[in-house]
Amino acid sequence: MNKRYLIDVGSSTIKVYVKSDEITTLITSRTFDFKSSFSSTEGISPENKNLLFDFFYEICDLYKLNKSNTKLFATGIFRDMDNPEAFIGDFYEATGLYFNIISHELEAFYLEKAWLGKCNNLDSAIVINIGGKTTELIFCRKGLVQGRELLPIGVGTVLKKYPSINNE
């Protein structure tokens, strides 16, 4: 049984999936505040970079991740780095994994692909993926994608603008 690992690195959460026998299962996730002290010129803060690398050292060891069995997709805030090449190089050097920063459009395409055929019995459905920095809406009818909307707002954006929203 060949296991493949898919890792979704978002603006606030990292989700690790294992794909075995065509079944994809979430095996772990961890929340980070990558937006804290982020700057487009410097990227994520040194503290967050250390936390990210430590998490990857842990999961690389635990699941024996390598560039042959692992595909990593970074979204959200990582798209806003002016010089992602330096970070990508540091990440590869530290973990041996490729840090693939994908466009918002490609992120929505992967969401569409994941949902194809899962809404066949519904006249219509909206698949909503709310991330830390972005949101994707996929409109389906009878199992087919009819359209999509990509929004530049996520949970982190809302919490930053309305920090006491969860206090009530």
Side-chain angles (χ1 to χ4, degrees):
M1 172 174 14
N2 248 352
K3 291 183 179 178
R4 301 265 310 150
Y5 296 90
L6 305 169
I7 304 176
D8 176 0
V9 181
S11 298
S12 60
T13 306
I14 298 175
K15 295 177 282 283
V16 181
Y17 300 88
V18 63
K19 183 174 183 176
S20 179
D21 295 329
E22 298 306 311
I23 296 171
T24 303
T25 307
L26 177 68
I27 54 175
T28 191
S29 66
R30 187 151 319 156
T31 300
F32 295 88
D33 187 9
F34 292 130
K35 290 180 96 174
S36 172
S37 302
F38 175 85
S39 80
S40 60
T41 55
E42 299 298 320
I44 62 174
S45 71
E47 295 80 16
N48 277 330
K49 185 176 178 181
N50 288 336
L51 290 171
L52 173 71
F53 282 30
D54 287 346
F55 177 67
F56 271 90
Y57 296 145
E58 177 186 322
I59 63 171
C60 283
D61 185 53
L62 181 62
Y63 301 114
K64 307 299 181 229
L65 304 180
N66 59 61
K67 64 184 174 187
S68 297
N69 69 5
T70 305
K71 188 78 171 174
L72 183 153
F73 305 99
T75 62
I77 200 154
F78 295 98
R79 295 182 192 117
D80 294 340
M81 292 191 293
D82 291 343
N83 182 19
E85 294 81 10
F87 178 82
I88 290 168
D90 290 347
F91 187 85
Y92 182 79
E93 188 175 309
T95 66
L97 300 175
Y98 298 119
F99 196 87
N100 300 297
I101 301 172
I102 64 171
S103 70
H104 200 182
E105 292 77 15
L106 187 55
E107 181 181 9
F109 171 77
Y110 288 149
L111 181 62
E112 288 175 20
K113 187 173 176 176
W115 278 91
L116 277 179
K118 293 194 168 102
C119 316
N120 289 342
N121 297 330
L122 300 174
D123 284 338
S124 59
I126 301 174
V127 177
I128 303 170
N129 179 36
I130 303 172
K133 185 175 184 297
T134 61
T135 298
E136 297 78 42
L137 306 173
I138 308 299
F139 303 94
C140 303
R141 175 162 279 130
K142 297 192 188 296
L144 299 174
V145 173
Q146 301 296 308
R148 69 169 91 129
E149 287 293 324
L150 309 179
L151 308 173
I153 185 170
V155 174
T157 312
V158 172
L159 290 175
K160 186 174 183 178
K161 187 166 183 169
Y162 306 101
S164 63
I165 196 167
N166 288 323
N167 295 345
E168 297 176 18

